[in-house]
Amino acid sequence: MIVELRKSDRQKLNMSKKQAKKQLKNLQRCLKHLSALVGHECTVSRLPSKSILLGNAGHANGIGRADVVSLLQSHLDESSYKLYFPPDKQFSILFTQDICESIVDMINATKIKGNILYCAFLSEDLSFEISNEIKPPGLKLFGDIISEEFEGELMELFLEHSKNRSSSQDELKNRVTLHYGYKFDYKTNLVDLTAPLEHPIPASVRKVLGIIQPHISITPNQLTVNIYQPGQGIPKHVDTHSIFTSEILSVSLGSDVVMDFKHPTSGKVLPVLLPRRSLTVMSGESRYLWHHGITPRKTDALQDVVERQLRISLTLRECTPDPCTCNFPSQCDSQNYGKPRYSVEDEEEGARLEEQYVSAVYEEIADHFSSTRHSPWPGVVKFLNSLPSMSLVVDVGCGNGKYLGVRSDITVVGNDNSYNLCSICQDRGHEVFACNALNIPLRPSTCDSVICIAMLHHITTPQRRVTVLENLAGLLTPGGLGLVTVWAQEQHLDLETTESCRPCPTDGTEEGVGRRHFDSQDVFVDWQLKKPGSVPDKSGSKLYYRYYHVFVEGELAGLISQVPGVELVEVTYEKANWCAVFRKL
Amino acid sequence: MKLLTHNMMRSHCKGVVNGFPLKLSSSQVDVKEIEFNPDFINRMLSRLEWPALVQIANQLGVGEGLPEMLPEEQKFEDEDVLKKIHHVLLEVEVVEGELECPETGRKFPISKGIPDMRLNEEE
């Protein structure tokens, strides 16, 4: 990291070496925070760039947009730059339209509201994506939905209710809440649907519902009113998946406020300004995946520092007895937060899981998935190379077809349940058809060999796994060999050997996600879908989960032993996968 | 879809007895040149359902010169005949069309050369 305080700057400020050292530390801390915000390491540079770090000029220093604008006004035209203030940080970022070589020299080490500004060019131009216009996916905001007069009436009504207790209310540690329709239980984060409240949703809020009708797709039957004094907030949370439906609505009264949305795995925080008299609709990722909350503080700042006023929010939700089937199991109580409680035994449930967490996901991620699967795995190539010339081979679950063209003197026909993956194979000149491995439309005893690579672990029940293996065996002519590989729960069995002591390359294991740790055999594994060509910024990606059953030692051999008419040839462990070869009798 | 694949395929609908051969209707058929390998063709003969191959080749107008019957030893010596079979099996490709289960009538589209044989769980 190239950060230093120049002697000339230090002299200009009459700063001691010790003070300078402290400044340096501050700046390094700014870079660390910035790196966390953008998702990769940020450094400063002597070469001019269009992104400039303004250390000591952040909201945490009590400095807002107006302060920086007034500092810059004699140097830069206000229309030629943008400013970004990360929440609660001791720095801001200046984005200039063109490279302005002299700007750092001009404003460096000047005083701004008693703070010594220290600035430096960043070594790469950050995109505006980190600016505060970005919202989590699925979040919609509608401004000015009610008049100031109506806002006043509503606020008066709820302040009245909070005094005379004409509703079910809670004095929480940090705010007062009122409930209508059903009571939200803060201990269980659930609603008792068998006990509707005597206070229904008030008529004036019904009027609000009429106004917002065009923007929403749920029918709210529960209202929670939060009364926030300036300085109060609400801890970050995801509204319980099981009890509330697909949208969470919030109408803001009395004050603007900044709500923070935090991504649970990347840790990225997106602050979003909720203006008074606006409607916020959380749906999709913003409802199911991102955690949202309001930091308790008396002022908010996105561009300028604004004092909070008394704010009343109307949270409108639709309670349901049906379990949630969202695509975000890691946050979903109906789906045990992505950790199946038990192995799946039920066939229907198994089929449903495969459809939702395997088939549908691969259709979506096919292109990105394929772009990460280019090098054929040596174990599979070795098997294919051992086959007699002119063999006819079927690759069940062929993915992007990386094994279909390994040898020119054998004919390999591929199939996959993902039509989009089949298309990729077809574009590469391979022979493929789309089908499910549980029901393969081929005549029996037609193939010399069959391979099934990194597919069987997507099948959810033991019975269904045996069915797939029976199907593979059925395709073989007598004496024909089959190769099956699956992901292992044991991820490190071979790490003593010299070969695999090397760092794992991206496509090193068949699964290509590096070594993992599995607490359970039935797991959901995430896939960050990156849009083609996008920078590795989490906001440009979408999260998917794929179902896996990871195999333990002996399990694959056990399944093969249940298949009539085949004998096990060998089982090996390679790069966190179990591989079995069997022969048709 | 090559005719080799068509010959290997059968319908997998629930309750189907033979499911073979799948009826084919096609709106686009291409020819792609593939390296000729007489040994592979002879090796495949015992796996093929010969009458179905002849029938589909005739339907597509590429069957001329294809022997009506397979010799008992399931082998051809005549290179012209083997080349003809090679052409029919591997070079003729159905790009757009439809397969149909002979017993249930369930149709499977072929688009851009890919037959979509996926069934619903209950089929």
PDB file of all heavy atoms in Angstrom, chain A residues 530-553:
ATOM      1  N   LYS A 530     -22.746 -14.363 -12.076  1.00  0.00           N
ATOM      2  CA  LYS A 530     -22.181 -13.089 -12.522  1.00  0.00           C
ATOM      3  C   LYS A 530     -22.647 -12.830 -13.936  1.00  0.00           C
ATOM      4  O   LYS A 530     -22.650 -13.712 -14.776  1.00  0.00           O
ATOM      5  CB  LYS A 530     -20.664 -13.152 -12.481  1.00  0.00           C
ATOM      6  CG  LYS A 530     -20.183 -13.480 -11.088  1.00  0.00           C
ATOM      7  CD  LYS A 530     -18.883 -12.831 -10.759  1.00  0.00           C
ATOM      8  CE  LYS A 530     -18.609 -12.933  -9.278  1.00  0.00           C
ATOM      9  NZ  LYS A 530     -18.488 -14.317  -8.803  1.00  0.00           N
ATOM     10  N   LYS A 531     -23.052 -11.612 -14.171  1.00  0.00           N
ATOM     11  CA  LYS A 531     -23.420 -11.248 -15.542  1.00  0.00           C
ATOM     12  C   LYS A 531     -22.149 -11.238 -16.367  1.00  0.00           C
ATOM     13  O   LYS A 531     -21.101 -10.821 -15.881  1.00  0.00           O
ATOM     14  CB  LYS A 531     -24.090  -9.880 -15.545  1.00  0.00           C
ATOM     15  CG  LYS A 531     -25.470  -9.941 -14.930  1.00  0.00           C
ATOM     16  CD  LYS A 531     -26.033  -8.563 -14.730  1.00  0.00           C
ATOM     17  CE  LYS A 531     -27.237  -8.632 -13.807  1.00  0.00           C
ATOM     18  NZ  LYS A 531     -27.414  -7.428 -13.021  1.00  0.00           N
ATOM     19  N   PRO A 532     -22.230 -11.689 -17.620  1.00  0.00           N
ATOM     20  CA  PRO A 532     -21.015 -11.763 -18.431  1.00  0.00           C
ATOM     21  C   PRO A 532     -20.316 -10.407 -18.485  1.00  0.00           C
ATOM     22  O   PRO A 532     -20.951  -9.382 -18.674  1.00  0.00           O
ATOM     23  CB  PRO A 532     -21.536 -12.163 -19.820  1.00  0.00           C
ATOM     24  CG  PRO A 532     -22.920 -12.642 -19.628  1.00  0.00           C
ATOM     25  CD  PRO A 532     -23.431 -12.101 -18.346  1.00  0.00           C
ATOM     26  N   GLY A 533     -19.020 -10.425 -18.281  1.00  0.00           N
ATOM     27  CA  GLY A 533     -18.232  -9.203 -18.402  1.00  0.00           C
ATOM     28  C   GLY A 533     -18.295  -8.281 -17.208  1.00  0.00           C
ATOM     29  O   GLY A 533     -17.612  -7.272 -17.172  1.00  0.00           O
ATOM     30  N   SER A 534     -19.095  -8.615 -16.209  1.00  0.00           N
ATOM     31  CA  SER A 534     -19.206  -7.692 -15.084  1.00  0.00           C
ATOM     32  C   SER A 534     -18.007  -7.832 -14.163  1.00  0.00           C
ATOM     33  O   SER A 534     -17.384  -8.885 -14.083  1.00  0.00           O
ATOM     34  CB  SER A 534     -20.500  -7.939 -14.303  1.00  0.00           C
ATOM     35  OG  SER A 534     -20.366  -9.088 -13.500  1.00  0.00           O
ATOM     36  N   VAL A 535     -17.664  -6.749 -13.506  1.00  0.00           N
ATOM     37  CA  VAL A 535     -16.568  -6.798 -12.553  1.00  0.00           C
ATOM     38  C   VAL A 535     -17.008  -7.617 -11.346  1.00  0.00           C
ATOM     39  O   VAL A 535     -18.201  -7.749 -11.093  1.00  0.00           O
ATOM     40  CB  VAL A 535     -16.156  -5.383 -12.088  1.00  0.00           C
ATOM     41  CG1 VAL A 535     -15.434  -4.657 -13.198  1.00  0.00           C
ATOM     42  CG2 VAL A 535     -17.358  -4.605 -11.617  1.00  0.00           C
ATOM     43  N   PRO A 536     -16.072  -8.196 -10.625  1.00  0.00           N
ATOM     44  CA  PRO A 536     -16.480  -9.019  -9.480  1.00  0.00           C
ATOM     45  C   PRO A 536     -17.040  -8.173  -8.346  1.00  0.00           C
ATOM     46  O   PRO A 536     -16.473  -8.035  -7.305  1.00  0.00           O
ATOM     47  CB  PRO A 536     -15.185  -9.728  -9.074  1.00  0.00           C
ATOM     48  CG  PRO A 536     -14.087  -8.896  -9.619  1.00  0.00           C
ATOM     49  CD  PRO A 536     -14.621  -8.170 -10.817  1.00  0.00           C
ATOM     50  N   ASP A 537     -18.171  -7.594  -8.595  1.00  0.00           N
ATOM     51  CA  ASP A 537     -18.825  -6.760  -7.603  1.00  0.00           C
ATOM     52  C   ASP A 537     -20.116  -7.477  -7.251  1.00  0.00           C
ATOM     53  O   ASP A 537     -20.889  -7.827  -8.127  1.00  0.00           O
ATOM     54  CB  ASP A 537     -19.109  -5.403  -8.241  1.00  0.00           C
ATOM     55  CG  ASP A 537     -19.875  -4.474  -7.313  1.00  0.00           C
ATOM     56  OD1 ASP A 537     -20.430  -4.952  -6.303  1.00  0.00           O
ATOM     57  OD2 ASP A 537     -19.922  -3.290  -7.608  1.00  0.00           O
ATOM     58  N   LYS A 538     -20.336  -7.692  -5.988  1.00  0.00           N
ATOM     59  CA  LYS A 538     -21.466  -8.523  -5.570  1.00  0.00           C
ATOM     60  C   LYS A 538     -22.810  -7.973  -6.050  1.00  0.00           C
ATOM     61  O   LYS A 538     -23.749  -8.700  -6.250  1.00  0.00           O
ATOM     62  CB  LYS A 538     -21.493  -8.646  -4.041  1.00  0.00           C
ATOM     63  CG  LYS A 538     -20.302  -9.404  -3.472  1.00  0.00           C
ATOM     64  CD  LYS A 538     -20.477 -10.908  -3.596  1.00  0.00           C
ATOM     65  CE  LYS A 538     -19.517 -11.701  -2.729  1.00  0.00           C
ATOM     66  NZ  LYS A 538     -18.122 -11.436  -2.972  1.00  0.00           N
ATOM     67  N   SER A 539     -22.895  -6.663  -6.261  1.00  0.00           N
ATOM     68  CA  SER A 539     -24.191  -6.114  -6.640  1.00  0.00           C
ATOM     69  C   SER A 539     -24.559  -6.507  -8.067  1.00  0.00           C
ATOM     70  O   SER A 539     -25.705  -6.479  -8.450  1.00  0.00           O
ATOM     71  CB  SER A 539     -24.199  -4.603  -6.500  1.00  0.00           C
ATOM     72  OG  SER A 539     -23.394  -4.050  -7.517  1.00  0.00           O
ATOM     73  N   GLY A 540     -23.557  -6.884  -8.878  1.00  0.00           N
ATOM     74  CA  GLY A 540     -23.847  -7.282 -10.248  1.00  0.00           C
ATOM     75  C   GLY A 540     -24.150  -8.760 -10.343  1.00  0.00           C
ATOM     76  O   GLY A 540     -24.209  -9.325 -11.411  1.00  0.00           O
ATOM     77  N   SER A 541     -24.325  -9.413  -9.228  1.00  0.00           N
ATOM     78  CA  SER A 541     -24.516 -10.855  -9.272  1.00  0.00           C
ATOM     79  C   SER A 541     -25.776 -11.243  -8.523  1.00  0.00           C
ATOM     80  O   SER A 541     -26.306 -10.490  -7.718  1.00  0.00           O
ATOM     81  CB  SER A 541     -23.304 -11.558  -8.665  1.00  0.00           C
ATOM     82  OG  SER A 541     -23.194 -11.221  -7.312  1.00  0.00           O
ATOM     83  N   LYS A 542     -26.245 -12.451  -8.833  1.00  0.00           N
ATOM     84  CA  LYS A 542     -27.462 -12.931  -8.186  1.00  0.00           C
ATOM     85  C   LYS A 542     -27.132 -14.264  -7.527  1.00  0.00           C
ATOM     86  O   LYS A 542     -26.369 -15.052  -8.072  1.00  0.00           O
ATOM     87  CB  LYS A 542     -28.528 -13.099  -9.259  1.00  0.00           C
ATOM     88  CG  LYS A 542     -29.920 -13.178  -8.700  1.00  0.00           C
ATOM     89  CD  LYS A 542     -30.957 -13.226  -9.803  1.00  0.00           C
ATOM     90  CE  LYS A 542     -32.279 -13.644  -9.190  1.00  0.00           C
ATOM     91  NZ  LYS A 542     -33.266 -13.985 -10.191  1.00  0.00           N
ATOM     92  N   LEU A 543     -27.716 -14.491  -6.383  1.00  0.00           N
ATOM     93  CA  LEU A 543     -27.378 -15.682  -5.627  1.00  0.00           C
ATOM     94  C   LEU A 543     -28.374 -16.811  -5.893  1.00  0.00           C
ATOM     95  O   LEU A 543     -29.580 -16.601  -5.825  1.00  0.00           O
ATOM     96  CB  LEU A 543     -27.385 -15.335  -4.137  1.00  0.00           C
ATOM     97  CG  LEU A 543     -26.673 -16.294  -3.205  1.00  0.00           C
ATOM     98  CD1 LEU A 543     -25.197 -16.397  -3.548  1.00  0.00           C
ATOM     99  CD2 LEU A 543     -26.831 -15.816  -1.764  1.00  0.00           C
ATOM    100  N   TYR A 544     -27.856 -17.983  -6.210  1.00  0.00           N
ATOM    101  CA  TYR A 544     -28.700 -19.161  -6.385  1.00  0.00           C
ATOM    102  C   TYR A 544     -28.213 -20.247  -5.439  1.00  0.00           C
ATOM    103  O   TYR A 544     -27.054 -20.264  -5.051  1.00  0.00           O
ATOM    104  CB  TYR A 544     -28.597 -19.694  -7.819  1.00  0.00           C
ATOM    105  CG  TYR A 544     -29.283 -18.825  -8.830  1.00  0.00           C
ATOM    106  CD1 TYR A 544     -28.600 -17.793  -9.453  1.00  0.00           C
ATOM    107  CD2 TYR A 544     -30.614 -19.028  -9.160  1.00  0.00           C
ATOM    108  CE1 TYR A 544     -29.228 -16.991 -10.385  1.00  0.00           C
ATOM    109  CE2 TYR A 544     -31.251 -18.239 -10.090  1.00  0.00           C
ATOM    110  CZ  TYR A 544     -30.546 -17.214 -10.696  1.00  0.00           C
ATOM    111  OH  TYR A 544     -31.180 -16.430 -11.614  1.00  0.00           O
ATOM    112  N   TYR A 545     -29.081 -21.182  -5.118  1.00  0.00           N
ATOM    113  CA  TYR A 545     -28.683 -22.321  -4.303  1.00  0.00           C
ATOM    114  C   TYR A 545     -28.944 -23.602  -5.067  1.00  0.00           C
ATOM    115  O   TYR A 545     -29.994 -23.765  -5.675  1.00  0.00           O
ATOM    116  CB  TYR A 545     -29.473 -22.350  -2.993  1.00  0.00           C
ATOM    117  CG  TYR A 545     -29.087 -21.238  -2.063  1.00  0.00           C
ATOM    118  CD1 TYR A 545     -29.761 -20.034  -2.083  1.00  0.00           C
ATOM    119  CD2 TYR A 545     -28.008 -21.383  -1.191  1.00  0.00           C
ATOM    120  CE1 TYR A 545     -29.396 -18.995  -1.255  1.00  0.00           C
ATOM    121  CE2 TYR A 545     -27.642 -20.355  -0.349  1.00  0.00           C
ATOM    122  CZ  TYR A 545     -28.332 -19.167  -0.380  1.00  0.00           C
ATOM    123  OH  TYR A 545     -27.967 -18.146   0.434  1.00  0.00           O
ATOM    124  N   ARG A 546     -27.953 -24.504  -5.023  1.00  0.00           N
ATOM    125  CA  ARG A 546     -28.126 -25.815  -5.638  1.00  0.00           C
ATOM    126  C   ARG A 546     -28.136 -26.869  -4.544  1.00  0.00           C
ATOM    127  O   ARG A 546     -27.351 -26.801  -3.607  1.00  0.00           O
ATOM    128  CB  ARG A 546     -26.976 -26.102  -6.605  1.00  0.00           C
ATOM    129  CG  ARG A 546     -27.018 -25.284  -7.879  1.00  0.00           C
ATOM    130  CD  ARG A 546     -25.726 -25.428  -8.641  1.00  0.00           C
ATOM    131  NE  ARG A 546     -24.622 -24.925  -7.854  1.00  0.00           N
ATOM    132  CZ  ARG A 546     -23.352 -25.279  -8.030  1.00  0.00           C
ATOM    133  NH1 ARG A 546     -23.032 -26.146  -8.958  1.00  0.00           N
ATOM    134  NH2 ARG A 546     -22.406 -24.781  -7.265  1.00  0.00           N
ATOM    135  N   TYR A 547     -29.026 -27.850  -4.695  1.00  0.00           N
ATOM    136  CA  TYR A 547     -29.084 -28.945  -3.739  1.00  0.00           C
ATOM    137  C   TYR A 547     -27.977 -29.949  -4.042  1.00  0.00           C
ATOM    138  O   TYR A 547     -27.757 -30.304  -5.203  1.00  0.00           O
ATOM    139  CB  TYR A 547     -30.440 -29.665  -3.801  1.00  0.00           C
ATOM    140  CG  TYR A 547     -30.420 -30.975  -3.051  1.00  0.00           C
ATOM    141  CD1 TYR A 547     -30.717 -31.008  -1.693  1.00  0.00           C
ATOM    142  CD2 TYR A 547     -30.036 -32.159  -3.683  1.00  0.00           C
ATOM    143  CE1 TYR A 547     -30.644 -32.196  -0.994  1.00  0.00           C
ATOM    144  CE2 TYR A 547     -29.964 -33.351  -2.993  1.00  0.00           C
ATOM    145  CZ  TYR A 547     -30.270 -33.359  -1.644  1.00  0.00           C
ATOM    146  OH  TYR A 547     -30.185 -34.539  -0.952  1.00  0.00           O
ATOM    147  N   TYR A 548     -27.297 -30.406  -3.007  1.00  0.00           N
ATOM    148  CA  TYR A 548     -26.309 -31.468  -3.129  1.00  0.00           C
ATOM    149  C   TYR A 548     -26.511 -32.504  -2.038  1.00  0.00           C
ATOM    150  O   TYR A 548     -26.803 -32.139  -0.896  1.00  0.00           O
ATOM    151  CB  TYR A 548     -24.883 -30.925  -2.928  1.00  0.00           C
ATOM    152  CG  TYR A 548     -24.270 -30.300  -4.139  1.00  0.00           C
ATOM    153  CD1 TYR A 548     -24.491 -28.960  -4.413  1.00  0.00           C
ATOM    154  CD2 TYR A 548     -23.463 -31.023  -4.995  1.00  0.00           C
ATOM    155  CE1 TYR A 548     -23.917 -28.362  -5.525  1.00  0.00           C
ATOM    156  CE2 TYR A 548     -22.877 -30.440  -6.104  1.00  0.00           C
ATOM    157  CZ  TYR A 548     -23.112 -29.111  -6.367  1.00  0.00           C
ATOM    158  OH  TYR A 548     -22.540 -28.529  -7.462  1.00  0.00           O
ATOM    159  N   HIS A 549     -26.360 -33.761  -2.396  1.00  0.00           N
ATOM    160  CA  HIS A 549     -26.184 -34.792  -1.391  1.00  0.00           C
ATOM    161  C   HIS A 549     -24.725 -35.219  -1.502  1.00  0.00           C
ATOM    162  O   HIS A 549     -24.335 -35.823  -2.499  1.00  0.00           O
ATOM    163  CB  HIS A 549     -27.113 -35.977  -1.646  1.00  0.00           C
ATOM    164  CG  HIS A 549     -26.846 -37.126  -0.733  1.00  0.00           C
ATOM    165  ND1 HIS A 549     -27.365 -37.205   0.536  1.00  0.00           N
ATOM    166  CD2 HIS A 549     -26.056 -38.226  -0.881  1.00  0.00           C
ATOM    167  CE1 HIS A 549     -26.926 -38.313   1.115  1.00  0.00           C
ATOM    168  NE2 HIS A 549     -26.127 -38.943   0.275  1.00  0.00           N
ATOM    169  N   VAL A 550     -23.909 -34.850  -0.514  1.00  0.00           N
ATOM    170  CA  VAL A 550     -22.499 -35.225  -0.599  1.00  0.00           C
ATOM    171  C   VAL A 550     -22.319 -36.620  -0.002  1.00  0.00           C
ATOM    172  O   VAL A 550     -22.954 -36.974   0.996  1.00  0.00           O
ATOM    173  CB  VAL A 550     -21.578 -34.181   0.070  1.00  0.00           C
ATOM    174  CG1 VAL A 550     -21.538 -32.916  -0.765  1.00  0.00           C
ATOM    175  CG2 VAL A 550     -22.001 -33.868   1.489  1.00  0.00           C
ATOM    176  N   PHE A 551     -21.480 -37.416  -0.657  1.00  0.00           N
ATOM    177  CA  PHE A 551     -21.366 -38.835  -0.330  1.00  0.00           C
ATOM    178  C   PHE A 551     -20.274 -39.093   0.698  1.00  0.00           C
ATOM    179  O   PHE A 551     -19.222 -38.450   0.668  1.00  0.00           O
ATOM    180  CB  PHE A 551     -21.050 -39.639  -1.602  1.00  0.00           C
ATOM    181  CG  PHE A 551     -22.255 -39.867  -2.478  1.00  0.00           C
ATOM    182  CD1 PHE A 551     -22.910 -38.804  -3.080  1.00  0.00           C
ATOM    183  CD2 PHE A 551     -22.726 -41.157  -2.699  1.00  0.00           C
ATOM    184  CE1 PHE A 551     -24.025 -39.010  -3.885  1.00  0.00           C
ATOM    185  CE2 PHE A 551     -23.833 -41.382  -3.508  1.00  0.00           C
ATOM    186  CZ  PHE A 551     -24.478 -40.308  -4.093  1.00  0.00           C
ATOM    187  N   VAL A 552     -20.542 -40.068   1.573  1.00  0.00           N
ATOM    188  CA  VAL A 552     -19.508 -40.488   2.519  1.00  0.00           C
ATOM    189  C   VAL A 552     -18.874 -41.778   2.001  1.00  0.00           C
ATOM    190  O   VAL A 552     -19.413 -42.448   1.113  1.00  0.00           O
ATOM    191  CB  VAL A 552     -20.071 -40.719   3.945  1.00  0.00           C
ATOM    192  CG1 VAL A 552     -20.521 -39.405   4.544  1.00  0.00           C
ATOM    193  CG2 VAL A 552     -21.205 -41.735   3.932  1.00  0.00           C
ATOM    194  N   GLU A 553     -17.725 -42.089   2.569  1.00  0.00           N
ATOM    195  CA  GLU A 553     -16.986 -43.270   2.135  1.00  0.00           C
ATOM    196  C   GLU A 553     -17.892 -44.504   2.176  1.00  0.00           C
ATOM    197  O   GLU A 553     -18.614 -44.722   3.147  1.00  0.00           O
ATOM    198  CB  GLU A 553     -15.768 -43.482   3.043  1.00  0.00           C
ATOM    199  CG  GLU A 553     -14.919 -44.646   2.594  1.00  0.00           C
ATOM    200  CD  GLU A 553     -13.536 -44.624   3.227  1.00  0.00           C
ATOM    201  OE1 GLU A 553     -13.351 -43.899   4.231  1.00  0.00           O
ATOM    202  OE2 GLU A 553     -12.658 -45.331   2.714  1.00  0.00           O
TER     203      GLU A 553
END
